[in-house]
Amino acid sequence: MSKLVSAAHAASLIKDGMVVSVSSSSGLGCPDAVLAAIGERFDTEGHPKAITTLHPIAAGDMYGIKGIDHLAKPGLLKRTLCGSYPSGPSSAEPPQIWKMIGDNSVAAYNVPSGILFDMHREAAAKRPGVLTKVGLDTFADPRHQGCAMNEAAGEPIVSVQQFDGEEWLYFRAIVPNVSIIRATSADERGNLTYEHEGAYLGGLEQALAARNNGGIVIAQVKRVVENGTLKPHDVRVPGVLVDHIVVAPDQLQTTQTPYDPAISGEIFRPLSTFRTPEMNVQKVIARRVAMELRDGMAVNIGFGISANVPRILLEEGQHGKVTWVIEQGAVGGVPLLDFKFGCASNAEAIMPSPHQFIYFQAGGFDASLLSFLQIDRHGSVNVSKLSARPHVTAGAGGFVDITSRAKKIVFSGFFNAGAKLSLADGGIRIDQEGKVKKVVEEVEHISFSGKRAVAQGQDITYVTERCVMRLTPDGLMVTELAPGIDLERDVLAQADIPLAIANDLKVTPASLYQDRPIGLSLNGGASLGGAHGLSLNGGASLGGAHG
């Protein structure tokens, strides 16, 4: 019996009240044709009703791949658990899913991506749920929001449990009735290969979770090939787990990208083809972040200013000294920017995303470079919620998993919001002060717990255009000041909380503000900026208790 079906037939298999798991990371690997068919069926038939969807990373974007927005219809979608949600500029029309979250017409949860993958693995093995320390003292903790995004999310999905003398978060496994995954090729038996994909994501775990519990697995692919023509080592999801195949020959590789063979590792791009950042304030911040790295590190990066750090290393002739690891699964190469974020060119390997999260959750890597929306007096960081403009942030994604035990984290961003800044006289000039303070008494949403970081001895740094701060047991300490910045007027007066000042307050190296390579070396021994230079060998004093 052929497994090949139309998208409309696949949509007819979704029954009222089912739990549906969807494999996707924004536009990357999104089975958009199947999701569109489900939405179209609801528009014409009024079914399926009241479904729950699970999205370990995210489904869809605001730039042409609707993903979860195909399902964001009152009556169709009852509950959704997502690592993140479609996001975009505040000037853009919010996606339908955000409108439903705002008016409480869907019970919405933001669950750390790695934990959602763990929940699938436990469901697949018919174990009750996940015991984890990931998320303690963050918005995932039931003593805060318990992952709930609105009042409609009243049913608890997480509790605090004592086990073996320690405190843990317990997430009950949720069994999917249907898993919708995506690949490049399927043979007639349903074996799936991913040769044009930018990541494997978690399709295998999601398929196992449905199949082992009597559910069905729908695979969207670009093409069907003859049995026996796929190499067994290339098959990522075996056909015994796949019930139905939907062919969508025009599926995009990722957001606004039909196909780029360097993303799927089929070719390697010359390093000269990667653009380096233009000279501006963001580049200065990225340069300063790069100075925190050392030769041989395995380093995770997130969206925002820190995403440019690999390009800084390229420009400085240091590419290859650091191995980049991103949550979608790429290891090595050059992580990509903008619409292709989450993919890498020239990767050394692509791991399944659930396995990459195991690596992150246990702190097996060396450092993470991430952004911030707010920082509070405890050193806690918010990246996951901005009530005034909710669709500007996607939610936490893998942020909580990545930061929970990371040995070293460098957060980067602007000191406040809305300031007009320029580079002048070898430093920073504030042409107009911003109106929104980002260093606050309490963050709106705890995406990262400064309290736990101190208790665990994590090395935490915050790099802004005005100063560098370190997290100490007593709170935030300013350890370095940018040239052209007045400590009292531009830093202390622009924070809602008192900031400690290091006894040996440094000045950021002047070379960072010049439009030429800065002479960065991650090998150790070199220094930048004369008397105020910071050593790159890991032994320099950066102020106060962190000297």
Side-chain angles (χ1 to χ4, degrees), residues 11 70 255 335 432 441 452:
H70 290 300
T255 302
Q432 180 179 314
E441 180 69 22
R452 280 191 58 78

Side-chain angles (χ1 to χ4, degrees), residues 276-288 308 312 315-316 421-424 426-428 509-518:
T276 54
E278 62 179 288
M279 190 63 201
N280 54 26
V281 176
Q282 290 97 319
K283 183 171 184 174
V284 170
I285 298 173
R287 283 175 160 181
R288 181 60 189 84
N308 279 307
I312 300 296
E315 188 175 51
E316 296 292 328
L421 307 162
S422 58
L423 299 177
I428 297 290
S511 59
L512 272 63
Y513 304 87
Q514 300 169 5
D515 192 8
R516 59 175 182 265
I518 62 176

Side-chain angles (χ1 to χ4, degrees), residues 141-193:
D141 192 315
R143 292 164 294 196
H144 295 290
Q145 288 82 20
C147 298
M149 295 183 69
N150 57 9
E151 292 180 5
E155 180 184 355
I157 63 168
V158 56
S159 60
V160 178
Q161 300 288 336
Q162 294 293 321
F163 178 76
D164 201 22
E166 296 185 19
E167 185 177 80
W168 302 76
L169 295 184
Y170 174 62
F171 290 82
R172 296 187 309 278
I174 299 176
V175 174
N177 306 110
V178 179
S179 285
I180 306 172
I181 63 178
R182 201 187 94 171
T184 300
S185 301
D187 68 13
E188 296 159 294
R189 293 174 63 84
N191 294 299
L192 304 180
T193 57

Side-chain angles (χ1 to χ4, degrees), residues 306-320:
S306 58
N308 279 307
V309 176
R311 311 304 176 103
I312 300 296
L313 267 59
L314 273 170
E315 188 175 51
E316 296 292 328
Q318 300 295 300
H319 176 70

Side-chain angles (χ1 to χ4, degrees), residues 156-425:
I157 63 168
V158 56
S159 60
V160 178
Q161 300 288 336
Q162 294 293 321
F163 178 76
D164 201 22
E166 296 185 19
E167 185 177 80
W168 302 76
L169 295 184
Y170 174 62
F171 290 82
R172 296 187 309 278
I174 299 176
V175 174
N177 306 110
V178 179
S179 285
I180 306 172
I181 63 178
R182 201 187 94 171
T184 300
S185 301
D187 68 13
E188 296 159 294
R189 293 174 63 84
N191 294 299
L192 304 180
T193 57
Y194 284 66
E195 59 270 25
H196 290 176
E197 306 303 312
Y200 304 124
L201 302 179
L204 179 57
E205 280 76 5
Q206 289 166 284
L208 284 166
R211 170 47 60 92
N212 285 2
N213 289 283
I216 63 174
V217 177
I218 300 166
Q220 178 183 307
V221 298
K222 183 183 289 189
R223 58 202 181 190
V224 174
V225 301
E226 186 179 354
N227 286 338
T229 61
L230 298 177
K231 296 179 180 179
H233 280 290
D234 295 338
V235 172
R236 292 285 171 168
V237 180
V240 293
L241 301 181
V242 177
D243 297 287
H244 304 285
I245 304 164
V246 174
V247 177
D250 297 326
Q251 65 185 24
L252 294 180
Q253 189 179 43
T254 189
T255 302
Q256 296 198 348
T257 307
Y259 172 55
D260 177 349
I263 285 176
S264 43
E266 297 165 277
I267 64 168
F268 271 40
R269 288 172 53 184
L271 293 181
S272 61
T273 65
F274 294 96
R275 61 181 172 87
T276 54
E278 62 179 288
M279 190 63 201
N280 54 26
V281 176
Q282 290 97 319
K283 183 171 184 174
V284 170
I285 298 173
R287 283 175 160 181
R288 181 60 189 84
V289 171
M291 293 177 63
E292 294 289 316
L293 302 178
R294 303 291 177 262
D295 189 5
M297 279 185 164
V299 180
N300 164 261
I301 61 169
F303 195 73
I305 291 172
S306 58
N308 279 307
V309 176
R311 311 304 176 103
I312 300 296
L313 267 59
L314 273 170
E315 188 175 51
E316 296 292 328
Q318 300 295 300
H319 176 70
K321 297 287 183 68
V322 163
T323 301
W324 306 106
V325 288
I326 56 180
E327 65 185 66
Q328 288 78 5
V331 177
V334 182
L336 300 180
L337 303 173
D338 304 325
F339 293 129
K340 297 181 182 180
F341 184 79
C343 301
S345 289
N346 303 6
E348 299 171 26
I350 299 177
M351 289 178 63
S353 190
H355 299 180
Q356 190 84 297
F357 275 114
I358 293 172
Y359 179 50
F360 291 152
Q361 288 174 344
F365 61 116
D366 297 298
S368 186
L369 314 180
L370 299 166
S371 297
F372 67 84
L373 288 174
Q374 295 174 310
I375 309 167
D376 73 13
R377 61 189 175 93
H378 303 294
S380 295
V381 167
N382 172 24
V383 298
S384 47
K385 185 177 182 181
L386 194 62
S387 292
R389 296 175 295 171
H391 73 278
V392 171
T393 175
F399 186 96
V400 177
D401 305 278
I402 291 163
T403 58
S404 62
R405 289 190 179 93
K407 303 175 185 74
K408 178 180 179 68
I409 306 172
V410 184
F411 295 108
S412 60
F414 292 104
F415 197 84
N416 67 19
K420 294 182 179 179
L421 307 162
S422 58
L423 299 177
D425 303 320

